[in-house]
Amino acid sequence: MEQKIRGFIPYLPFFIPEAKNSAELAGEILDRAEMALPEVKVLAGGAGEGYSIRSTAGGYTVSGGDTGVLYGVHALLRSLYVKEPVREGEAVPYYPLRMLNHWDNMDGSVERGYAGLSLFFRNDRITWNETDMHRYGMMLSSTGINAVCLNNVNVHFPADRLITEDFLPELKKIADILRIYGVKLIISIDFSMPTRNGLDTADPLDERVARWWEKQTALVYSYIPDLAGYLVKADSEHRAGPYTYGRNHAEGANMLAKALKPFGGKLIWRCFVYDCGQDWRNHEIDRPKAAYDNYAWLDGQFDDNVILQIKNGPYDFQVREGVSPLLFAMPSTQKALEVQLAQEYTGHQIDLFFMAPQWQDIYDVMPKDKVQAICAVANVGDSVNWAGHDLALLNLYAFGSLAMTGEPRAEETAAAGAKLMFEDREAAETVKDMLLRSCRVYEDYASPFGLGWMVTPGLHYGVSCEGYEYDVWGTYHRANFEAVGIERGPGGTDMTSQYPEPLRSLYADIDTCPEELLLFFHRVRYDHVMKDGRTLLQRIYDNHFRGYEGAKELQARWLSLEGRIAEDVFLRIRDKFELQVANARRWCDTVNTYFYRHTGIPDEQGRKIWD
Ligand code: GCW
C-alpha cells in the first residue's frame, strides 16, 4: 500500500504510539518529531482542552489538561517547523464540540466522497488500517477536532446495526485508538430502528420505543463509555422521523436525548428538513424557508443535551447562499453550525476551492456566539493524499482552526497551511495566494450572484443550467426571457422576514441586497442595472469569462512551481488543473449561451462562446 502524504503534520513520521493517553502522547510526539527541538517540558493534568505555552531559559513549557497539552505541543511544533515566532500564552478551544461527520457507508463507498473509499468500512464490515487510523487521529488532534461520526447520516443497512453487538466490539477498538488523540466517537442512528427489532412502531411517544432506545444506548455505552452522542437525520430525504408518527421534532429528539442523558451523551439533530419532491407547479413552497419553518417555533422545547445541527446555507451547501436564518433564531436552544468540506457543490476535489474565505463571509454576518458547536462534513478517504486533492486537505486544517478559535482567519490558515505543506518559501507563498483566490474563481464560473443549483442533477459536478428545473428533486430558478431567480422579499415568498433586523431589510430590498446574493434573494430582470452601471446580464457574462480566465491563471501559477516541490505532488495537482480548466470553460460557455439564447442580447465585448 502506498504511504500517504504527511500533509499538515510534516514534522511527524507515521507511527503507532506507545502512549496510552493524550498527555503521554504529547511527550511521545516530542521524542519522535523529525526536527531539531529546543528543550520542551510538558506539564499535564486534568481533563481540560486548554493549554498554555511559555518560553523558559532553554526552550518552552507546554502546560494544560491532558488533551490540552497535545494541542499545545502541535501548536508549538507547527511554529518551530515553519520557523515563526511561537505564540506564547493561554489558548482554550472556542467551541467545546468540534465535530467531523463522515458520510461513509459500510460497503466502503462514501456519499459525496471524492477521496477514495472509506477509512473505516469495507464489504459491510468495520475494516481499517491501523497505521492510517493512528495517523488520522494525529491529524485530527493536530488541528483540534474532538469528535467524529464515522457513518453516513443516511444510515443504510447494516450501519443501523452499529449500535448492536454485531459491530460494537469492533467499533470500540476504533474508539480506543481515537481516544488517545482526544477524539470521541459519534454514531449516526436510524430513527426507525425499533421497527426492525421487534416493535411495530418507532413513535417517540410510545413507552416501548423509549425503553428500547434506553436499553440499546446502555449497551452502546458499555462498550464506548465516552461516546459523544448520536447524530440523527430524520424526516429528511425519505428517511423516517417523528413526522412519520405525527409527532414534532422536539418530541422525537427529546426521547433520544433522554436515553443518552445518564451517560453524558449529546443528541445531535440535523435540521436539513425540507420537501425534496416539490411540485414544479407549486410556487408557494420555498425550500430555503424550510429549516426555519420546521424548527424556530420549537425554541425552548428541546432538552439541554440536544444540539440542533444547521447547515450554513438554508438551501444546501451551495457556493454562495444567504446564511441560514435559523442560526439567528432559537436563543434557548443549543445549535451547531454545519459546513461541508466534501466538495459536493464546489468542485469535487478536482477544482481547487479553499473554504476559509467562504466561512469568513458567513461569520461576517453571523457572529460566532450564535452557535455553541461546529461540525463539518469530512472530505477524506483512503486516497494517497487523504483528500483526493493534496490542497483540499488544507480545508480540514482550516476547519480545525476555525473550530478552535471561532474565527475563519482565511489569510492566516492559508499561509500557515501552505508553509506546512511546502518547504520552499516561494512555493508556499504562491500556494497561499492560489488558495485565497480559488473560491472566488470557482464562484465566478459556477454560480452567478448566489443563484446556485446549475449543476448536473444527482452528480453535482459540472454545469447543467436547467437540470434541477426538470428533475423530480426540483430546485427552481425559473429563468425565462426577461428575468431569473425566485423573489424572496415581501412581494414573493417573504423568506427575508425570517431574518432579524437589520438583515431583514437589507436583503428584502433589491437596492440594498449585497450583489453577490442578488439572485439568491430576488427575481431580477436581465436589464437590471448593477451598482457599477453594467446590467445583470452583462455581469453574468463578465463573471463567467473572468472565472474561466481565473482558472487558467491558477493553473499557470501551479505550473510555475515545477521543480520547486515534490514531483508526485506537482503532477497530481497538474492533472487536476487540466480538468478544472476544462470544467471552467464548459461552465462559462454553457451558462453564457443559456442566458444569451434566453435574452437574445449579445455580450457587449463580443467574446466567443464555445471556442
Ligand atoms: O446535499 C445533500 C446531499 C446528500 C446528503 C444530504 C444531507 C447525506 O446531496 O447526499 O445526504 O444533503 O446533508 O443529508
Side-chain angles (χ1 to χ4, degrees), residues 103 111-112 152-154 233 236-237 270 272 287 311 316-317 338 340 344-345 460:
W103 287 354
E111 182 156 350
R112 311 305 176 187
N152 191 354
V153 289
N154 290 325
K233 172 175 177 177
S236 167
E237 301 187 329
R270 295 179 85 234
F272 186 57
R287 178 167 163 183
K311 289 189 182 186
D316 184 7
F317 297 139
E338 179 178 344
Q340 190 184 39
E344 176 178 359
Y345 296 99
H460 301 170

